[in-house]
């Protein structure tokens, strides 16, 4: 007799096998989306497209997911990053402009706003964010997002302030 196992994700008493991968996963997610548009499933499909290098489809799926779950800040961050990767900085700024003040003030979202503004040619907006001070609480040591933004805005002639230097030397 075959032994059944339960995973932590199983809540209905059904059994689960190993997670689906590749085409099987996309097929399963497609069936789930045909029944109901779910933000987590949309996010999973978007991630599969991102991994495959299809940034445009990933961004579109994440925008739909975000519309279904606008209060989920990590999804907002991921959607903004996907819009930037897809070359859609104006759409990222539009999304940011619609966010509630608490989300707009979040450091990671302000960083993405500054990047989007720079990519959209809104240098004044990027400059205001940098002048006001940009604190990204979840920035990891070695992450170069702040110094890349700084040098993209100022060029190499301005020294990177210590508050923005998380590079590993």
């Amino acid at each position: 007799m075959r032994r059944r196992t339960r995973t932590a994700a199983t809540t209905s008493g059904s059994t689960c096998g190993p997670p689906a991968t590749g085409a099987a996963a996309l097929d399963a997610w497609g069936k789930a989306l045909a029944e109901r548009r779910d933000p987590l499933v949309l996010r999973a499909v978007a991630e599969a497209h991102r991994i495959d290098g299809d940034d445009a489809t990933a961004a579109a799926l994440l925008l739909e997911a975000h519309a279904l779950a606008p209060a989920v800040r990590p999804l907002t961050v991921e959607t903004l990053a996907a819009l930037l990767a897809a070359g859609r900085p104006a759409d990222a700024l539009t999304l940011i402009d619609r966010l509630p003040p608490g989300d707009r003030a979040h450091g990671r979202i302000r960083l993405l706003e500054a990047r989007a503004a720079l990519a959209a040619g809104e240098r004044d907006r990027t400059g205001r964010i940098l002048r006001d001070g940009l604190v990204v609480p979840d920035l990891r040591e070695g992450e170069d997002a702040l110094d890349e933004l700084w040098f993209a805005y100022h060029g190499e002639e301005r020294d990177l302030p210590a508050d923005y230097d998380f590079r590993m030397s």
Side-chain angles (χ1 to χ4, degrees):
M1 182 154 104
R2 190 172 149 206
R3 183 177 170 205
R4 294 193 202 207
T5 59
R6 288 175 53 104
T7 66
T10 303
T11 58
S12 64
S14 64
T15 60
C16 288
T21 58
L26 282 175
D27 184 52
W29 291 326
K31 289 176 185 174
L33 289 175
E35 291 179 25
R36 182 172 77 93
R37 302 306 274 184
D38 180 271
L40 294 178
V41 176
L42 286 162
R43 189 243 166 236
V45 175
E47 180 64 8
H49 283 282
R50 186 197 64 76
I51 289 168
D52 285 344
D54 186 357
D55 292 332
T57 300
L61 290 166
L62 283 167
L63 270 174
E64 183 180 351
H66 185 268
L68 294 170
V72 179
R73 187 178 291 159
L75 184 58
T76 302
V77 168
E78 194 168 355
T79 302
L80 292 170
L83 288 168
L84 289 174
R88 297 174 57 184
D91 292 331
L93 292 173
T94 298
L95 178 69
I96 290 165
D97 290 342
R98 290 191 214 145
L99 292 174
D103 284 344
R104 273 196 81 178
H106 185 267
R108 181 65 64 173
I109 291 174
R110 291 190 69 230
L111 172 62
L112 290 163
E113 178 182 2
R115 288 182 49 211
L118 192 59
E122 295 187 28
R123 290 185 57 80
D124 290 344
R125 189 169 176 170
T126 301
R128 273 193 307 277
I129 292 168
L130 288 172
R131 277 190 302 281
D132 290 347
L134 184 54
V135 177
V136 184
D138 60 345
L139 197 69
R140 296 175 306 275
E141 186 176 359
E143 186 175 343
D144 56 5
L146 286 174
D147 58 286
E148 282 182 2
L149 174 64
W150 179 266
F151 291 123
Y153 180 77
H154 288 291
E156 297 292 325
E157 67 274 358
R158 297 261 322 256
D159 288 336
L160 181 65
D163 290 348
Y164 289 174
D165 193 354
F166 284 80
R167 299 173 293 182
M168 304 270 301
S169 12

